[in-house]
Amino acid sequence: MQFLVSKRQPKVSWLKRFLCSLTLAFSWGVGIPSTLAAETVTIRLGPFQQSVAIADLEKFAKTGRLPEGLEVLSPFLTSEIREFLTKRFTVDPAFADKFVDEIRQTPVGRQILSSLNTALPGSTVDTIQVALNLALKQVNGLSPLGFLRAYPRENVTVDATQVIGLAVELNPSNLQSQALGVLLERELSAKSYTSFKPAFDPSIIGNEIVQEQTLNFSDRRRNRILPVDIYWSRGNAENPLVVLSHGFGSNRKSLRYLAKHLASHGITVVAIEHPGSNAMSVNKANDAANLGKLLPPTEFIDRPLDVSFVLDELAKLNTQLGELQGKFNTEKVSVIGHSLGGYTALALVTPEMNLEDLRKFCKNSLNLDKSPGDWLQCSAASLRDKKLRLQDKRVSQAIALNPVIGELFNKKALAQITQPILILAGTEDAITPALKHQIAPFARLQSEKYLLTAIGGTHLSISDPASEAYSIVKERRGEEARSLRRLTQGTTLAFVKQLTPEAKTYREFLTPGYAQFLSTPELPLRLISELPSSIKPWVEGSLDRSYIK
């Protein structure tokens, strides 16, 4: 999933999202109290802003009745929001000072305070620290309403966009993955990488001249128009065909740099646009308040079917006269997907997915401390099917970049996969946190497998720097993620080449030494085929089974 914010701001759910996000921040011990009593809160969202009397919010939280003047907000001020407004975080008042001091001494704590400073225009880190001290000393604990009342001005101004992003960054799975990053950097280090001196580097552009063409395939049975970009060169027709599947809210250009790189080495690449979960579809659903309802449940079925349909059409095209004749080896396919596209790639190599664990999770455990990836996967919970069988045996291997896996693939489903799998994880990916969505699933795979880890990488670090992307969280993109994109080019080419007679020549580029050969101090890179024993306790601890009753 590539969860993006479009240029068009949401018109319906801004208040609900803001309050939910603010509550999540409080649940992690973050607040902005003061010695003065604020009377109103002004919520700013882009060019739009609205002031609400805190006393009116208090009356609503207590009685459930909307005071005069707040009727316009009735679609947002639900019973669920009432509960959010009064949710409390408590710390022994005698230890409040020490608690806040310790927060400020940790990297995550400093990050939270800095983010809050940005989310509350006019505040300072020192003011926030003092305010937090005072609020935590209250006997009743800190609540969103208590926070608003305690702010040291008559009016509290909040940048809702910044608060939403902060809430996403504070989800526990993301914080766990960040904490694990330091351990991963040390434990996954290759002892002999300094002696890695390859005869060539597969991350360098190839010698073939790349050509591009866009086609539109029409699946009348499912009423779907599928635009595809084709990248090809003179290359060997026996090379595998590569299919690219973009993330949620993205488009077929998101991995263009990777498509051109592979094509320059003689591999034909087809990038598919999924009409039910691309940028256009997100814009249409932008008013949805629930992340689990931002895309149709059927998209979890249609995306893999899109790939299978396109393979059928390419097989026909392969026999027709023209410059594309013989360019598509549809019997030996590698699918590469980012985010929700990573789900798509894995679905195509999984014999059977049982949705019961997903439904239990979505019913019993889905709450504000879950990541956007957790929420989005729950769209599939309303499918009528108990099991999904979307495997296409023409797909010989899969590469999943920052995939959304969560509860969609349980232990049994992952163990059934027999094709080689390469997974990419970023330790600061707040959208699909690495520990739950990539590292734990990787441990369950029984087939040939590789885990590429970017220590400090985010959800969009892997995307084409030329593509437009508006994320709800801070992303590490562009030049600072160049080494990761270069490693992705090299390892992807080497992985695909394992399906060719050149497999042995490229094998050394699927080793820890190659990852560290391209690693930088700013963005350490690691590549392994098995988790070390020191990491496994983290994996077991990340498995949330509280939803199974």
Side-chain angles (χ1 to χ4, degrees):
M1 179 193 69
Q2 182 169 311
F3 186 79
L4 307 178
V5 172
S6 73
K7 293 181 180 178
R8 180 170 65 88
Q9 297 290 353
K11 298 178 181 178
V12 176
S13 61
W14 62 270
L15 181 62
K16 181 173 181 179
R17 290 184 184 181
F18 160 72
L19 291 171
C20 293
S21 303
L22 194 60
T23 302
L24 176 57
F26 289 140
S27 72
W28 277 84
V30 181
I32 320 293
S34 79
T35 55
L36 300 178
E39 300 294 334
T40 60
V41 56
T42 297
I43 302 170
R44 183 185 301 168
L45 187 62
F48 175 80
Q49 65 179 34
Q50 180 169 338
S51 294
V52 180
I54 296 174
D56 287 340
L57 289 177
E58 290 174 331
K59 291 177 182 177
F60 165 71
K62 183 177 181 179
T63 66
R65 294 192 297 271
L66 288 172
E68 186 177 353
L70 281 189
E71 292 87 351
V72 67
L73 299 179
S74 59
F76 319 115
L77 296 176
T78 63
S79 58
E80 184 182 28
I81 293 299
R82 283 183 63 197
E83 181 181 347
F84 292 158
L85 287 170
T86 55
K87 184 176 182 179
R88 296 185 180 277
F89 175 82
T90 58
V91 170
D92 188 334
F95 297 100
D97 291 339
K98 182 178 180 181
F99 180 82
V100 175
D101 286 339
E102 289 181 352
I103 285 179
R104 194 165 185 173
Q105 295 305 313
T106 65
V108 173
R110 289 194 295 270
Q111 177 186 341
I112 291 171
L113 293 174
S114 176
S115 298
L116 280 170
N117 184 218
T118 303
L120 297 158
S123 66
T124 67
V125 173
D126 287 337
T127 300
I128 292 172
Q129 183 178 9
V130 172
L132 183 57
N133 259 317
L134 293 172
L136 288 173
K137 291 179 180 178
Q138 301 302 311
V139 175
N140 293 331
L142 175 64
S143 70
L145 284 174
F147 149 70
L148 295 173
R149 273 295 186 201
Y151 194 75
R153 295 180 184 175
E154 290 185 0
N155 178 74
V156 187
T157 299
V158 180
D159 186 327
T161 303
Q162 294 293 331
V163 173
I164 292 169
L166 174 61
V168 172
E169 292 175 0
L170 290 179
N171 76 75
S173 294
N174 183 39
L175 295 178
Q176 280 184 322
S177 296
Q178 289 188 43
L180 180 59
V182 177
L183 182 61
L184 287 171
E185 182 178 359
R186 183 182 73 244
E187 293 297 315
L188 304 187
S189 179
K191 302 298 185 291
S192 60
Y193 78 94
T194 53
S195 62
F196 186 84
K197 293 181 173 59
F200 67 100
D201 185 354
S203 72
I204 304 300
I205 197 76
N207 296 323
E208 300 289 346
I209 298 175
V210 178
Q211 300 184 63
E212 300 179 38
Q213 184 173 344
T214 299
L215 298 177
N216 287 288
F217 294 125
S218 177
D219 186 343
R220 293 187 178 87
R221 185 175 62 84
R222 294 184 300 141
N223 193 28
R224 284 170 80 88
I225 303 297
L226 301 171
V228 301
D229 289 342
I230 302 173
Y231 304 80
W232 83 96
S233 61
R234 290 181 304 172
N236 188 341
E238 295 182 0
N239 274 331
L241 172 68
V242 169
V243 175
L244 298 183
S245 175
H246 63 77
F248 173 68
S250 186
N251 58 57
R252 64 188 187 278
K253 306 291 185 184
S254 63
L255 292 174
R256 185 170 182 266
Y257 76 95
L258 182 57
K260 293 181 67 177
H261 178 77
L262 294 173
S264 76
H265 286 271
I267 296 171
T268 300
V269 180
V270 177
I272 299 177
E273 182 123 358
H274 302 284
S277 50
N278 59 3
M280 186 180 298
S281 68
V282 172
N283 284 336
K284 291 180 180 178
N286 217 12
D287 293 339
N290 187 336
L291 290 179
K293 296 181 180 179
L294 278 175
L295 81 163
T298 51
E299 196 67 7
F300 288 87
I301 297 175
D302 279 328
R303 278 177 146 262
L305 292 181
D306 288 346
V307 175
S308 294
F309 176 79
V310 168
L311 291 180
D312 291 340
E313 295 300 300
L314 293 176
K316 299 175 187 175
L317 189 60
N318 210 37
T319 63
Q320 298 175 7
L321 292 177
E323 57 185 353
L324 293 176
Q325 184 179 21
K327 293 296 181 183
F328 308 108
N329 186 352
T330 56
E331 295 306 314
K332 191 181 292 184
V333 180
S334 297
V335 178
I336 304 174
H338 176 244
S339 197
L340 190 59
Y343 155 80
T344 306
L346 292 173
L348 286 161
V349 294
T350 304
E352 182 178 277
M353 291 181 286
N354 191 319
L355 298 180
E356 287 308 305
D357 281 356
L358 174 68
R359 292 192 175 100
K360 291 174 182 176
F361 168 82
C362 298
K363 179 181 179 181
N364 300 325
S365 290
L366 190 62
N367 51 49
L368 289 178
D369 67 359
K370 302 304 179 185
S371 70
D374 292 331
W375 280 82
L376 198 73
Q377 68 173 347
C378 285
S379 297
S382 59
L383 288 170
R384 294 181 179 180
D385 312 71
K386 292 184 178 179
K387 299 178 180 180
L388 299 181
R389 298 180 180 89
L390 301 167
Q391 182 183 25
D392 190 320
K393 294 189 177 181
R394 292 172 292 187
V395 179
S396 303
Q397 56 178 207
I399 298 178
L401 309 171
N402 304 95
V404 52
I405 294 179
E407 315 304 329
L408 287 163
F409 300 88
N410 61 18
K411 183 177 181 179
K412 182 178 179 181
L414 291 169
Q416 289 177 344
I417 296 175
T418 59
Q419 293 88 337
I421 304 295
L422 188 153
I423 293 178
L424 167 72
T427 61
E428 294 187 15
D429 181 347
I431 307 301
T432 54
L435 189 55
K436 179 175 181 180
H437 285 271
Q438 292 104 45
I439 298 175
F442 171 82
R444 292 175 161 183
L445 290 170
Q446 303 300 313
S447 62
E448 180 184 353
K449 59 183 179 179
Y450 302 90
L451 176 68
L452 196 164
T453 306
I455 313 300
T458 61
H459 194 66
L460 298 183
S461 292
I462 199 67
S463 61
D464 195 312
S467 65
E468 290 189 353
Y470 302 89
S471 178
I472 60 176
V473 296
K474 184 178 180 181
E475 291 285 351
R476 196 170 190 173
R477 299 187 69 210
E479 183 61 26
E480 60 182 340
R482 187 173 70 88
S483 60
L484 174 59
R485 292 193 300 275
R486 184 179 169 189
L487 178 60
T488 302
Q489 289 175 169
T491 53
T492 297
L493 178 60
F495 190 70
V496 173
K497 285 289 188 178
Q498 297 308 299
L499 299 176
T500 74
E502 299 174 273
K504 187 175 180 180
T505 302
Y506 284 86
R507 174 66 66 173
E508 65 177 325
F509 302 108
L510 295 172
T511 62
Y514 179 59
Q516 286 182 244
F517 174 71
L518 295 178
S519 183
T520 66
E522 296 75 24
L523 192 64
L525 304 171
R526 301 291 184 264
L527 178 62
I528 58 171
S529 55
E530 193 66 46
L531 284 179
S533 57
S534 58
I535 303 297
K536 291 180 180 179
W538 285 75
V539 172
E540 293 302 318
S542 72
L543 299 178
D544 178 6
R545 289 296 178 264
S546 60
Y547 55 87
I548 299 178
K549 295 183 177 180

